[in-house]
Amino acid sequence: MVKEIERAGIPVVHICTVTPISLTVGANRIVPAIAIPHPLGNPALTAEEEKNIRRKILETALQALSTEVTDQTVFEVKY
Amino acid sequence: MSKLRVVHYINQFFAQIGGEEMADYKPEYREGIVGPGLALQTAFGEEAEIVGTVICGDSYFNENLEKATAEVLEMIKAAKPDLFIAGPAFNAGRYGVACGTITDAVKKELGIPALTGMYVENPGADMFKSSVYIISTKNSAAGMRDAAPKMAKLGLKLAKGEKVGASCEDGYIPNGIRVNLFEKERGSKRAVKMLLAKINGKPFTTEYPMPDFDRVPPCPAVKDIAHAKIALVTSGGIVPKGNPDHIESSNATHYGKYDIEGVDDLTSDTYATAHGGYDPVYANEDADRVLPVDVMREFEKEGKIGSLYRYFYTTVGNGTAVKSAKAFAAEFSKELVADGVQAVILTST
């Protein structure tokens, strides 16, 4: 789906846990997530802490969308 | 029993008429064997006989696809073959397309058993591998000695209506059809053997080859993210509670599009996941963990983004065919473009 969206001319960032799959499939902007069943959350944390990491991941995603890339790039989240 | 009648198709080069300068050569029918047909005839032995050969220039065929196909079909039909063989085309692109086109037409329009052969990366292979049998050959004519017996063997099977084996047994390019079979050794033993071979740097054959993934060049970055309209898309199966469109928990056949206007937070009362294959507890408790509507709304209020697109698109990635996912996104991307969405955040579980 990532590639078809990009093919349509819309920049797309893929937030996913298993980044090697994303790389194999061919996403260009990738942000690593937390875990498969809760990519943008962590039930072990308090609701506030959890929302905070979600913000960090999404801020990284926005940064990825604002960054020119020529090749597949994984944007690490700074927690 | 009389010998099976075979008609063979080759290009101007293999007919020794000429190279590129003769690629406009119009279709011609000759009685008997020409060029590489000899290797096929040897492989057929007494079982079949190449009664005629159709020769056509590669450029002529490709530039006049419909006309050339009709002309060639007419010649083949007139020879009343029991089997038709084209090529092999090895890695010659136009020849591969010609072989695939004509093999497909013979099979569909004349109802005569037909096959061809080419190198796996020949563009004709991708175009026709799911509609006709294509023997996998080397990338140059030096592979004729390998290819001829395989083509002859599969050809005889097809002509006699015998059961065709798996692609690895009969040497054709996998056509996407899966057949159940019993292995002699159980999975754990095979897996350990494969692992040992891998560790020792020895060759091994995967039982689950990954599909070939193509590449799309990255789009330019969003210039002004603070004023951009951004859409959320997920393969994590987040749907309004109750899954109104019945998106399947695996091998999804469709996707959903849901309005989130006025929705600031996904709660366990309103949203859940339809996704199988991972523990749904966390997503059902708080779907923002997969589809982060809550934080995107905050970003919207804070001016970090222009706006969150009014709808989100969702499907289940679990075991869903690449082909399906591709079709889903190709379809909804048109809507995203039409609605002026400037960037997409796609989340996967």
Short mmCIF file of all heavy atoms in Angstrom, two decimals, chain B residues 158-195:
data_model
loop_
_atom_site.label_atom_id
_atom_site.label_comp_id
_atom_site.label_asym_id
_atom_site.label_seq_id
_atom_site.Cartn_x
_atom_site.Cartn_y
_atom_site.Cartn_z
N LEU B 158 1.69 -32.27 -22.05
CA LEU B 158 0.54 -31.43 -22.37
C LEU B 158 -0.26 -32.02 -23.54
O LEU B 158 -1.48 -32.08 -23.52
CB LEU B 158 0.98 -30.00 -22.72
CG LEU B 158 1.57 -29.16 -21.57
CD1 LEU B 158 2.13 -27.85 -22.11
CD2 LEU B 158 0.51 -28.86 -20.51
N ALA B 159 0.48 -32.47 -24.56
CA ALA B 159 -0.18 -32.99 -25.75
C ALA B 159 -0.95 -34.27 -25.45
O ALA B 159 -1.99 -34.54 -26.03
CB ALA B 159 0.85 -33.23 -26.85
N LYS B 160 -0.43 -35.05 -24.52
CA LYS B 160 -1.10 -36.32 -24.18
C LYS B 160 -2.11 -36.13 -23.07
O LYS B 160 -2.74 -37.10 -22.64
CB LYS B 160 -0.05 -37.35 -23.73
CG LYS B 160 0.91 -37.80 -24.83
CD LYS B 160 1.85 -38.80 -24.19
CE LYS B 160 3.08 -39.04 -25.03
NZ LYS B 160 4.12 -39.71 -24.21
N GLY B 161 -2.19 -34.93 -22.54
CA GLY B 161 -3.14 -34.67 -21.46
C GLY B 161 -2.73 -35.30 -20.14
O GLY B 161 -3.55 -35.56 -19.28
N GLU B 162 -1.42 -35.51 -19.97
CA GLU B 162 -0.94 -36.09 -18.71
C GLU B 162 -0.84 -35.01 -17.63
O GLU B 162 -0.76 -33.83 -17.94
CB GLU B 162 0.44 -36.73 -18.92
CG GLU B 162 0.37 -38.00 -19.74
CD GLU B 162 1.76 -38.53 -20.11
OE1 GLU B 162 2.75 -37.95 -19.64
OE2 GLU B 162 1.83 -39.51 -20.86
N LYS B 163 -0.77 -35.46 -16.38
CA LYS B 163 -0.72 -34.53 -15.26
C LYS B 163 0.64 -33.80 -15.26
O LYS B 163 1.69 -34.42 -15.38
CB LYS B 163 -0.88 -35.31 -13.96
CG LYS B 163 -1.12 -34.45 -12.75
CD LYS B 163 -1.49 -35.35 -11.56
CE LYS B 163 -1.65 -34.53 -10.30
NZ LYS B 163 -0.40 -34.03 -9.74
N VAL B 164 0.56 -32.48 -15.11
CA VAL B 164 1.79 -31.68 -15.05
C VAL B 164 2.23 -31.59 -13.60
O VAL B 164 1.41 -31.37 -12.71
CB VAL B 164 1.53 -30.28 -15.65
CG1 VAL B 164 2.74 -29.37 -15.47
CG2 VAL B 164 1.17 -30.40 -17.13
N GLY B 165 3.53 -31.77 -13.36
CA GLY B 165 4.05 -31.72 -11.99
C GLY B 165 4.25 -30.29 -11.53
O GLY B 165 3.91 -29.32 -12.23
N ALA B 166 4.82 -30.12 -10.34
CA ALA B 166 5.10 -28.79 -9.80
C ALA B 166 6.15 -28.10 -10.66
O ALA B 166 6.87 -28.76 -11.43
CB ALA B 166 5.59 -28.91 -8.37
N SER B 167 6.23 -26.79 -10.54
CA SER B 167 7.18 -26.04 -11.37
C SER B 167 8.61 -26.53 -11.20
O SER B 167 9.37 -26.59 -12.15
CB SER B 167 7.08 -24.54 -11.05
OG SER B 167 7.28 -24.32 -9.67
N CYS B 168 8.96 -26.94 -9.96
CA CYS B 168 10.34 -27.40 -9.73
C CYS B 168 10.58 -28.77 -10.36
O CYS B 168 11.71 -29.12 -10.69
CB CYS B 168 10.66 -27.41 -8.25
SG CYS B 168 9.57 -28.46 -7.28
N GLU B 169 9.51 -29.56 -10.55
CA GLU B 169 9.68 -30.87 -11.17
C GLU B 169 9.72 -30.78 -12.70
O GLU B 169 10.55 -31.41 -13.34
CB GLU B 169 8.51 -31.79 -10.78
CG GLU B 169 8.48 -32.13 -9.30
CD GLU B 169 7.13 -32.70 -8.86
OE1 GLU B 169 6.17 -32.70 -9.67
OE2 GLU B 169 7.05 -33.12 -7.71
N ASP B 170 8.82 -29.98 -13.25
CA ASP B 170 8.74 -29.92 -14.71
C ASP B 170 9.49 -28.73 -15.30
O ASP B 170 9.50 -28.53 -16.51
CB ASP B 170 7.28 -29.94 -15.17
CG ASP B 170 6.76 -31.39 -15.26
OD1 ASP B 170 7.60 -32.28 -15.51
OD2 ASP B 170 5.56 -31.61 -15.08
N GLY B 171 10.11 -27.93 -14.45
CA GLY B 171 11.05 -26.91 -14.93
C GLY B 171 10.43 -25.66 -15.52
O GLY B 171 11.11 -24.91 -16.20
N TYR B 172 9.15 -25.41 -15.24
CA TYR B 172 8.58 -24.17 -15.76
C TYR B 172 8.62 -23.07 -14.70
O TYR B 172 8.83 -23.34 -13.51
CB TYR B 172 7.15 -24.38 -16.27
CG TYR B 172 6.15 -24.96 -15.28
CD1 TYR B 172 5.38 -24.13 -14.49
CD2 TYR B 172 5.98 -26.34 -15.17
CE1 TYR B 172 4.46 -24.66 -13.59
CE2 TYR B 172 5.07 -26.88 -14.27
CZ TYR B 172 4.32 -26.03 -13.48
OH TYR B 172 3.41 -26.56 -12.59
N ILE B 173 8.46 -21.83 -15.14
CA ILE B 173 8.48 -20.69 -14.23
C ILE B 173 7.21 -20.74 -13.39
O ILE B 173 6.12 -20.88 -13.94
CB ILE B 173 8.59 -19.37 -15.03
CG1 ILE B 173 9.94 -19.32 -15.77
CG2 ILE B 173 8.43 -18.14 -14.12
CD1 ILE B 173 10.12 -18.15 -16.71
N PRO B 174 7.34 -20.66 -12.05
CA PRO B 174 6.15 -20.78 -11.20
C PRO B 174 5.02 -19.87 -11.68
O PRO B 174 5.22 -18.70 -11.97
CB PRO B 174 6.66 -20.34 -9.82
CG PRO B 174 8.10 -20.68 -9.84
CD PRO B 174 8.55 -20.45 -11.27
N ASN B 175 3.83 -20.48 -11.79
CA ASN B 175 2.69 -19.75 -12.36
C ASN B 175 1.70 -19.31 -11.29
O ASN B 175 0.61 -18.85 -11.59
CB ASN B 175 1.99 -20.59 -13.43
CG ASN B 175 1.60 -21.96 -12.89
OD1 ASN B 175 1.76 -22.26 -11.73
ND2 ASN B 175 1.08 -22.80 -13.77
N GLY B 176 2.10 -19.48 -10.02
CA GLY B 176 1.25 -18.99 -8.95
C GLY B 176 0.23 -20.01 -8.46
O GLY B 176 -0.48 -19.76 -7.50
N ILE B 177 0.17 -21.18 -9.13
CA ILE B 177 -0.79 -22.20 -8.69
C ILE B 177 -0.13 -23.09 -7.63
O ILE B 177 0.97 -23.60 -7.86
CB ILE B 177 -1.28 -23.05 -9.88
CG1 ILE B 177 -2.04 -22.16 -10.85
CG2 ILE B 177 -2.16 -24.21 -9.40
CD1 ILE B 177 -2.40 -22.83 -12.17
N ARG B 178 -0.77 -23.21 -6.48
CA ARG B 178 -0.21 -24.04 -5.42
C ARG B 178 -0.92 -25.38 -5.38
O ARG B 178 -2.13 -25.46 -5.55
CB ARG B 178 -0.38 -23.36 -4.06
CG ARG B 178 0.42 -22.11 -3.94
CD ARG B 178 0.42 -21.69 -2.49
NE ARG B 178 0.82 -20.29 -2.38
CZ ARG B 178 0.87 -19.66 -1.23
NH1 ARG B 178 0.53 -20.28 -0.12
NH2 ARG B 178 1.23 -18.40 -1.19
N VAL B 179 -0.13 -26.42 -5.13
CA VAL B 179 -0.68 -27.78 -5.09
C VAL B 179 -0.24 -28.42 -3.77
O VAL B 179 0.91 -28.26 -3.37
CB VAL B 179 -0.13 -28.61 -6.28
CG1 VAL B 179 -0.68 -30.02 -6.26
CG2 VAL B 179 -0.49 -27.93 -7.61
N ASN B 180 -1.14 -29.08 -3.09
CA ASN B 180 -0.78 -29.76 -1.85
C ASN B 180 0.11 -30.96 -2.13
O ASN B 180 -0.11 -31.68 -3.10
CB ASN B 180 -2.03 -30.26 -1.13
CG ASN B 180 -2.80 -29.11 -0.52
OD1 ASN B 180 -2.20 -28.12 -0.08
ND2 ASN B 180 -4.10 -29.24 -0.48
N LEU B 181 1.08 -31.20 -1.27
CA LEU B 181 1.87 -32.41 -1.41
C LEU B 181 2.39 -32.83 -0.05
O LEU B 181 2.46 -32.01 0.88
CB LEU B 181 3.03 -32.20 -2.39
CG LEU B 181 4.18 -31.29 -1.97
CD1 LEU B 181 5.34 -32.11 -1.44
CD2 LEU B 181 4.64 -30.45 -3.14
N PHE B 182 2.72 -34.10 0.07
CA PHE B 182 3.27 -34.61 1.31
C PHE B 182 4.79 -34.70 1.19
O PHE B 182 5.30 -35.34 0.27
CB PHE B 182 2.67 -35.97 1.65
CG PHE B 182 1.27 -35.87 2.17
CD1 PHE B 182 0.19 -36.10 1.35
CD2 PHE B 182 1.05 -35.51 3.50
CE1 PHE B 182 -1.11 -35.97 1.82
CE2 PHE B 182 -0.25 -35.38 3.98
CZ PHE B 182 -1.33 -35.62 3.15
N GLU B 183 5.50 -34.08 2.15
CA GLU B 183 6.95 -34.17 2.18
C GLU B 183 7.32 -35.46 2.92
O GLU B 183 6.58 -35.92 3.79
CB GLU B 183 7.53 -32.96 2.93
CG GLU B 183 7.49 -31.66 2.14
CD GLU B 183 8.57 -31.58 1.08
OE1 GLU B 183 9.40 -32.51 0.99
OE2 GLU B 183 8.58 -30.59 0.35
N LYS B 184 8.49 -36.00 2.61
CA LYS B 184 8.92 -37.23 3.29
C LYS B 184 9.31 -36.91 4.72
O LYS B 184 9.06 -37.68 5.64
CB LYS B 184 10.12 -37.84 2.55
CG LYS B 184 9.72 -38.51 1.25
CD LYS B 184 10.91 -39.24 0.63
CE LYS B 184 10.66 -39.57 -0.83
NZ LYS B 184 10.77 -38.39 -1.72
N GLU B 185 9.96 -35.76 4.92
CA GLU B 185 10.41 -35.41 6.27
C GLU B 185 9.54 -34.31 6.84
O GLU B 185 9.04 -33.45 6.11
CB GLU B 185 11.86 -34.91 6.20
CG GLU B 185 12.84 -36.02 5.87
CD GLU B 185 14.25 -35.51 5.75
OE1 GLU B 185 14.43 -34.29 5.56
OE2 GLU B 185 15.17 -36.33 5.85
N ARG B 186 9.40 -34.32 8.16
CA ARG B 186 8.55 -33.30 8.75
C ARG B 186 9.24 -31.94 8.76
O ARG B 186 10.46 -31.84 8.61
CB ARG B 186 8.11 -33.72 10.15
CG ARG B 186 9.25 -33.79 11.13
CD ARG B 186 8.71 -34.27 12.46
NE ARG B 186 9.75 -34.16 13.46
CZ ARG B 186 9.73 -34.82 14.60
NH1 ARG B 186 8.75 -35.64 14.87
NH2 ARG B 186 10.70 -34.66 15.47
N GLY B 187 8.44 -30.90 8.99
CA GLY B 187 8.90 -29.51 8.85
C GLY B 187 10.09 -29.18 9.73
O GLY B 187 11.05 -28.54 9.28
N SER B 188 10.07 -29.64 11.00
CA SER B 188 11.16 -29.27 11.91
C SER B 188 12.49 -29.80 11.40
O SER B 188 13.51 -29.11 11.44
CB SER B 188 10.86 -29.82 13.31
OG SER B 188 10.58 -31.19 13.23
N LYS B 189 12.47 -31.02 10.88
CA LYS B 189 13.70 -31.63 10.39
C LYS B 189 14.21 -30.87 9.15
O LYS B 189 15.41 -30.59 9.02
CB LYS B 189 13.41 -33.09 10.03
CG LYS B 189 14.65 -33.95 10.00
CD LYS B 189 14.28 -35.41 9.96
CE LYS B 189 15.56 -36.25 9.87
NZ LYS B 189 15.24 -37.67 9.70
N ARG B 190 13.28 -30.54 8.28
CA ARG B 190 13.68 -29.80 7.07
C ARG B 190 14.24 -28.43 7.43
O ARG B 190 15.21 -27.97 6.85
CB ARG B 190 12.49 -29.64 6.12
CG ARG B 190 11.85 -30.95 5.70
CD ARG B 190 11.06 -30.82 4.42
NE ARG B 190 10.05 -29.78 4.42
CZ ARG B 190 8.82 -29.91 4.91
NH1 ARG B 190 8.46 -31.07 5.47
NH2 ARG B 190 7.96 -28.93 4.86
N ALA B 191 13.62 -27.78 8.44
CA ALA B 191 14.05 -26.46 8.83
C ALA B 191 15.47 -26.49 9.40
O ALA B 191 16.31 -25.66 9.08
CB ALA B 191 13.09 -25.86 9.85
N VAL B 192 15.74 -27.51 10.25
CA VAL B 192 17.07 -27.62 10.86
C VAL B 192 18.12 -27.91 9.78
O VAL B 192 19.20 -27.32 9.76
CB VAL B 192 17.09 -28.70 11.97
CG1 VAL B 192 18.51 -28.99 12.42
CG2 VAL B 192 16.24 -28.25 13.16
N LYS B 193 17.78 -28.78 8.85
CA LYS B 193 18.70 -29.08 7.74
C LYS B 193 19.04 -27.82 6.96
O LYS B 193 20.19 -27.56 6.59
CB LYS B 193 18.06 -30.10 6.79
CG LYS B 193 18.29 -31.53 7.19
CD LYS B 193 17.83 -32.44 6.05
CE LYS B 193 18.04 -33.89 6.40
NZ LYS B 193 17.44 -34.77 5.39
N MET B 194 17.99 -27.04 6.71
CA MET B 194 18.18 -25.81 5.93
C MET B 194 19.06 -24.84 6.70
O MET B 194 19.96 -24.21 6.14
CB MET B 194 16.80 -25.18 5.67
CG MET B 194 16.76 -24.35 4.40
SD MET B 194 15.18 -23.51 4.22
CE MET B 194 14.09 -24.84 3.82
N LEU B 195 18.82 -24.75 8.00
CA LEU B 195 19.60 -23.84 8.85
C LEU B 195 21.06 -24.26 8.87
O LEU B 195 21.97 -23.43 8.72
CB LEU B 195 19.02 -23.83 10.27
CG LEU B 195 19.73 -22.90 11.26
CD1 LEU B 195 19.63 -21.45 10.80
CD2 LEU B 195 19.12 -23.04 12.65
#
